[in-house]
C-alpha cells in the first residue's frame, strides 16, 4: 500500500486573506494619512505662507534697509522651506515602503516557522528561519517546486528590498546593485554625464508613489501566488541552512 503524501507547507485560505487585507490596509492608510497630504499645491502654499511670515517678522528701517533685499531673501526662504517639505515627503514615502517590506518579511518568517513547527521541528529550525537571509528562504521555496524567482513579482520584491536597505544603511552593496539593475531608482537618467553618474550616492534615491504601489502589488501577488499546499514529495532538496538546523534537532533528541 502506497504511503499517502503529506503536506509540508500549507497556506490556509483565511490566513492568506488576513495577510493580504492587513497589507492592503497598511498601504492605503499610510498613503491617506501620511503621504497624500504632501501635494505640490499644499507644499507651495505652505512655503509661501512661511515666506510671508518670515518677511512680516523682519524689522525694517526705511532709512537703512533695502526692501528689495528682504523680498529676495524671503523668496530664498520659501524655496528652502519647499525643499525641506519635499525631502520630508520623500522620506515619508520611503518609511512607508520600509515598514511595508519589513512587515511582509516578518510575516513570511513567522508563517514558515509555524508551518515547520507542525512537523515537530523545534528551536533550531525556528531560530534558523529567523536568522538566515531572505534569499535563503527563497532557496527553500525553490526546493519545494515553487519557482518564486521566475515570477514577475520577484523583480519588484527584490527592488523593494534594495530600496529598503539603501534607505536604512545608505551606501553599500545594495546601493550598487540597485544602481545596476534599476538606475532610475537612484536618479540615474539617460544623458547624465559620467561624472554625475559616478557621484550618485544614497541621497540620490528617487522613489515615486507609482514605485510604492508596484512594490505593494508585488507583496499582494506573493501571498496570492504562494501555493495552498506544498507536499513532501515536492521537496527536491533540503537547503543547507535547514539541514544544519535539523541535524541539531536530531542531536538534541539523542
Amino acid at each position: 500500500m502506497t504511503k499517502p503524501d503529506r503536506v509540508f507547507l500549507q497556506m490556509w485560505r483565511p490566513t492568506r486573506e488576513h495577510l493580504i487585507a492587513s497589507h492592503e490596509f497598511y498601504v492605503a492608510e499610510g498613503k491617506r494619512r501620511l503621504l497624500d497630504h504632501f501635494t505640490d499645491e499644499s507644499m507651495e502654499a505652505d512655503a509661501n505662507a512661511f515666506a510671508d511670515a518670515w518677511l512680516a517678522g523682519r524689522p525694517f528701517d526705511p532709512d537703512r534697509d533695502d526692501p528689495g533685499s528682504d523680498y529676495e531673501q524671503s523668496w530664498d526662504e520659501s524655496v528652502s522651506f519647499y525643499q525641506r517639505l519635499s525631502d520630508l515627503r520623500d522620506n515619508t514615502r520611503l518609511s512607508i515602503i520600509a515598514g511595508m517590506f519589513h512587515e511582509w518579511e516578518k510575516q513570511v518568517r513567522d508563517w514558515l516557522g509555524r508551518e515547520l513547527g507542525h512537523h515537530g521541528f523545534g528551536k533550531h529550525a525556528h531560530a534558523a528561519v529567523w536568522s538566515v537571509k531572505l534569499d535563503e528562504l527563497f532557496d527553500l521555496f525553490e526546493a519545494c517546486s515553487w519557482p518564486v524567482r521566475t515570477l514577475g513579482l520577484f523583480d519588484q520584491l527584490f527592488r523593494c528590498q534594495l530600496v529598503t536597505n539603501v534607505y536604512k544603511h545608505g551606501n553599500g552593496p545594495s546601493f550598487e546593485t540597485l544602481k545596476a539593475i534599476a538606475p532610475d531608482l537612484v536618479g540615474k537618467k539617460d544623458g547624465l554625464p559620467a561624472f554625475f553618474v559616478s557621484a550618485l550616492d544614497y541621497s540620490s534615491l528617487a522613489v515615486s508613489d507609482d514605485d510604492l504601489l508596484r512594490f505593494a502589488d508585488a507583496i499582494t501577488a506573493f501571498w496570492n501566488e504562494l501555493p495552498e499546499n506544498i507536499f513532501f514529495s515536492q521537496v527536491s532538496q533540503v537547503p543547507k541552512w535547514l539541514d544544519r538546523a535539523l541535524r541539531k534537532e536530531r542531536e538534541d533528541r539523542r
Side-chain angles (χ1 to χ4, degrees):
M1 183 175 178
T2 303
K3 187 176 181 180
D5 202 358
R6 291 192 300 142
V7 173
F8 177 50
L9 302 175
Q10 184 176 66
M11 173 49 68
W12 191 39
R13 182 172 60 84
T15 299
R16 189 196 308 272
E17 292 174 350
H18 170 73
L19 290 168
I20 292 174
S22 296
H23 165 64
E24 292 180 343
F25 176 87
Y26 174 93
V27 175
E29 291 302 308
K31 285 184 80 284
R32 184 177 73 86
R33 295 174 182 271
L34 301 174
L35 201 53
D36 289 350
H37 294 287
F38 290 98
T39 65
D40 291 338
E41 294 78 9
S42 68
M43 291 194 300
E44 183 176 352
D46 288 343
N48 289 337
F50 179 83
D52 291 342
W54 180 89
L55 193 60
R58 292 281 293 178
F60 180 73
D61 184 345
D63 295 328
R64 294 185 306 168
D65 296 332
D66 175 14
S69 176
D70 281 353
Y71 278 107
E72 183 177 343
Q73 182 63 34
S74 72
W75 168 254
D76 291 340
E77 294 293 333
S78 173
V79 171
S80 179
F81 188 87
Y82 185 93
Q83 184 58 53
R84 288 194 291 268
L85 280 177
S86 180
D87 292 343
L88 180 58
R89 175 194 59 192
D90 294 343
N91 275 302
T92 299
R93 183 185 299 114
L94 287 167
S95 69
I96 291 173
I97 290 171
M100 174 182 72
F101 180 82
H102 285 310
E103 185 64 16
W104 167 76
E105 183 181 357
K106 287 185 292 185
Q107 288 169 341
V108 172
R109 293 179 189 273
D110 180 66
W111 167 77
L112 187 55
R114 285 187 287 105
E115 287 301 301
L116 294 178
H118 294 330
H119 304 294
F121 300 162
K123 63 181 181 180
H124 295 295
H126 192 266
V129 167
W130 283 94
S131 63
V132 298
K133 295 180 179 178
L134 182 60
D135 201 47
E136 293 177 281
L137 296 185
F138 288 136
D139 289 340
L140 175 60
F141 293 138
E142 297 271 354
C144 292
S145 303
W146 185 41
V148 62
R149 290 187 177 95
T150 67
L151 303 179
L153 62 91
F154 184 77
D155 284 345
Q156 291 301 326
L157 274 182
F158 186 45
R159 294 181 185 201
C160 185
Q161 181 183 19
L162 293 173
V163 166
T164 299
N165 288 344
V166 174
Y167 174 59
K168 286 177 58 182
H169 305 298
N171 292 333
S174 290
F175 176 78
E176 295 302 324
T177 301
L178 191 62
K179 185 165 67 171
I181 69 169
D184 55 305
L185 295 179
V186 296
K188 184 178 178 182
K189 301 177 181 178
D190 292 339
L192 194 66
F195 170 78
F196 290 103
V197 172
S198 64
L200 292 174
D201 64 10
Y202 73 93
S203 64
S204 307
L205 201 59
V207 180
S208 67
D209 287 353
D210 288 341
D211 292 316
L212 188 161
L213 293 177
R214 277 191 285 269
F215 298 156
D217 287 346
I219 289 175
T220 300
F222 174 89
W223 291 126
N224 276 321
E225 294 290 337
L226 184 62
E228 181 177 2
N229 292 305
I230 294 175
F231 293 91
F232 273 93
S233 62
Q234 294 176 273
V235 182
S236 60
Q237 184 179 5
V238 178
K240 292 181 179 179
W241 64 267
L242 183 55
D243 185 56
R244 286 193 297 268
L246 295 182
R247 284 204 303 270
K248 292 178 181 178
E249 301 279 358
R250 290 192 291 269
E251 290 171 2
D252 284 352
R253 297 191 185 102
R254 291 175 183 173

